[in-house]
Amino acid sequence: MHISKHLLASTIIGATLAAPARKCDHTVTRKEVRDLSPGEWKIITDTVARMQEYGWLSYFSSIHSVYFPAVHGMSQFLPFHRRFVRHFEMVAQRFDSRFVLPYWNEFADYRDPAASEVLSERFLGGNGQGSDSCVMDGIQANWTMHYPQDHCLRRKFNNGDSIKPWFSSEYIDSVIQRSETMAVFRERIENTQHGLVHLSVNGDMAAHHSINDFLFLLHHTFVDRIWAKWQADGHELTFDGPDHDQQNMTLDSQLQFYHEPIESVITLGRGIMCYEYADPESSQPDILTKRSADTRLLALPRDVLCKWYPKTCAETPGDGTGKAAMVQGKQYRFLPMPADVSAEAAALPGFDADAIKLMTDNARQFVADMNAAGYPPLY
């Protein structure tokens, strides 16, 4: 049966307005993609193929493209994308009620992302091939995308057939600990992990219609999980910062496109945000799971610990034993420097190259300090 995009979209868009604060009767669990059973992954591949057939990927690409300037580089960024990704998930559930979006634990693969099983034939497929950089394997193998015009799904990794390093779990936990306002947290996440993944995968992922690539969904569920971790760290209702018109936003401010209050998406498990995140199982748990690396952090020199992890510093006395205690009995590995993609960002509309450069330089100083202290990375 053909499903009308306009009728279905209007039903879902209005769904939060009736009782945005009501606790969900049923909550689904978003898993790390490698934790899915073959049957769960088949539900996703079959559903996404049907959505492509009925024009839904073009529909979502057009929304993201048209509203791109109004939902990036400002505090709309995280709540808009939480609502946008949930919108996609809810449409998919009209095709198959068992559909649940997964996320990619990008921290497990940050050293060499292209070598990840996630970017293999089993899941999302790898780098584009040929002169047009067309994706030839994975969930969207040989697909023709129709927005903004017919073209193959494209990827063009930023280091030949490999991808330069992304940001570590340790750095993002440092961002969580050092960010007290939404404005600060948003800038640090949008211009580090978020932007780097888009720009280093390149192709459709570096365009305003980036949701053409299903990787967009696994990336943005991961970014949303990071926001949820920050919220759970004492910022559940924290919201501030400028909108596209430089007016300060509050929980009463309206989401672009959806015309719903920010408050309607702020709390998982309420309204239509009827999902939660499972911690990764197949990949090693990341530092956001239970701050499992805190024992490593406590061996940092006190000045390094307090500079980068103020909450851990305030909660624990620390012994200041530094490098010697930290590497005892462990195989030493350096944290890699995250790639600087500010030059690539400068050549593309909608990316703030100066902000990306500033945040990358901060992350590189973090890496230099941690490596000098002898910190053994989680991954």
Side-chain angles (χ1 to χ4, degrees):
M1 179 179 69
H2 184 79
I3 299 177
S4 166
K5 290 193 292 295
H6 298 295
L7 177 59
L8 181 52
S10 63
T11 302
I12 291 173
I13 289 171
T16 61
L17 296 180
R22 181 183 176 185
K23 188 174 181 180
C24 297
D25 294 326
H26 173 67
T27 300
V28 300
T29 300
R30 293 178 177 175
K31 302 178 183 178
E32 210 277 339
V33 64
R34 286 164 285 203
D35 294 334
L36 298 176
S37 69
E40 288 171 326
W41 180 243
K42 188 175 188 304
I43 289 169
I44 290 172
T45 59
D46 289 352
T47 302
V48 173
R50 292 183 67 197
M51 291 178 70
Q52 166 71 352
E53 178 185 354
Y54 282 105
W56 280 103
L57 270 67
S58 294
Y59 170 79
F60 283 104
S61 288
S62 67
I63 295 171
H64 194 263
S65 184
V66 169
Y67 285 87
F68 191 99
V71 298
H72 293 82
M74 62 203 70
S75 290
Q76 280 271 354
F77 171 71
L78 288 167
F80 172 84
H81 284 88
R82 174 172 284 181
R83 180 66 175 89
F84 183 63
V85 169
R86 179 61 175 145
H87 185 182
F88 182 98
E89 186 173 53
M90 292 175 71
V91 170
Q93 288 167 347
R94 298 296 181 96
F95 285 89
D96 190 323
S97 62
R98 301 169 296 172
F99 182 97
V100 182
L101 280 169
Y103 67 92
W104 176 10
N105 178 22
E106 295 163 355
F107 296 145
D109 304 301
Y110 78 108
R111 290 177 176 271
D112 187 7
S116 171
E117 183 182 23
V118 178
L119 292 180
S120 74
E121 182 178 5
R122 179 182 175 189
F123 290 114
L124 300 182
N127 200 12
Q129 304 296 314
S131 58
D132 288 335
S133 302
C134 299
V135 175
M136 309 291 285
D137 59 353
I139 185 174
Q140 294 175 281
N142 301 304
W143 278 22
T144 297
M145 310 311 297
H146 303 298
Y147 187 89
Q149 63 276 320
D150 284 1
H151 67 284
C152 65
L153 177 67
R154 297 189 180 109
R155 294 184 192 142
K156 190 173 184 179
F157 294 169
N158 69 348
N159 196 31
D161 278 330
S162 65
I163 296 173
K164 296 175 184 178
W166 292 341
F167 295 89
S168 67
S169 175
E170 289 88 347
Y171 179 70
I172 299 302
D173 187 43
S174 172
V175 167
I176 288 173
Q177 292 203 30
R178 291 182 291 121
S179 303
E180 291 300 321
T181 68
M182 168 58 81
V184 170
F185 176 72
R186 188 278 310 164
E187 183 178 36
R188 288 172 172 169
I189 294 299
E190 183 177 3
N191 293 307
T192 56
Q193 188 70 15
H194 166 261
L196 180 55
V197 173
H198 276 281
L199 291 167
S200 59
V201 171
N202 207 344
D204 279 65
M205 274 290 283
H208 288 189
H209 51 269
S210 47
I211 196 175
N212 271 347
D213 194 331
F214 191 65
L215 171 55
F216 174 103
L217 278 306
L218 273 66
H219 176 47
H220 273 275
T221 48
F222 185 61
V223 170
D224 184 61
R225 177 174 177 261
I226 293 172
W227 180 23
K229 294 292 185 179
W230 182 72
Q231 289 182 295
D233 205 37
H235 301 286
E236 182 180 0
L237 300 178
T238 301
F239 197 79
D240 54 75
D243 203 346
H244 67 286
D245 57 3
Q246 297 306 306
Q247 297 296 310
N248 190 55
M249 297 189 70
T250 70
L251 292 175
D252 294 326
S253 299
Q254 298 290 295
L255 286 166
Q256 289 290 323
F257 178 69
Y258 296 101
H259 307 293
E260 300 164 0
I262 300 292
E263 184 181 18
S264 66
V265 303
I266 203 73
T267 304
L268 300 188
R270 291 188 175 275
I272 62 166
M273 300 296 110
C274 298
Y275 65 91
E276 62 185 0
Y277 288 101
D279 289 325
E281 296 178 2
S282 299
S283 59
Q284 184 177 350
D286 58 62
I287 198 170
L288 304 186
T289 300
K290 294 180 180 177
R291 290 225 167 106
S292 55
D294 272 4
T295 54
R296 301 173 182 219
L297 298 181
L298 294 181
L300 286 167
R302 192 70 179 167
D303 60 332
V304 176
L305 178 67
C306 296
K307 176 182 179 180
W308 295 107
Y309 298 97
K311 289 192 174 183
T312 301
C313 175
E315 293 166 359
T316 56
D319 57 17
T321 49
K323 182 186 296 186
M326 196 180 310
V327 300
Q328 184 178 0
K330 297 181 182 294
Q331 184 173 352
Y332 183 73
R333 294 176 72 190
F334 283 105
L335 281 166
M337 288 289 179
D340 182 355
V341 292
S342 55
E344 292 93 325
L348 295 168
F351 289 92
D352 189 336
D354 291 338
I356 289 174
K357 175 67 173 173
L358 181 65
M359 296 298 114
T360 303
D361 287 347
N362 178 263
R364 289 185 162 204
Q365 185 59 59
F366 167 85
V367 169
D369 288 353
M370 298 291 276
N371 285 341
Y375 174 80
L378 187 63
Y379 293 114

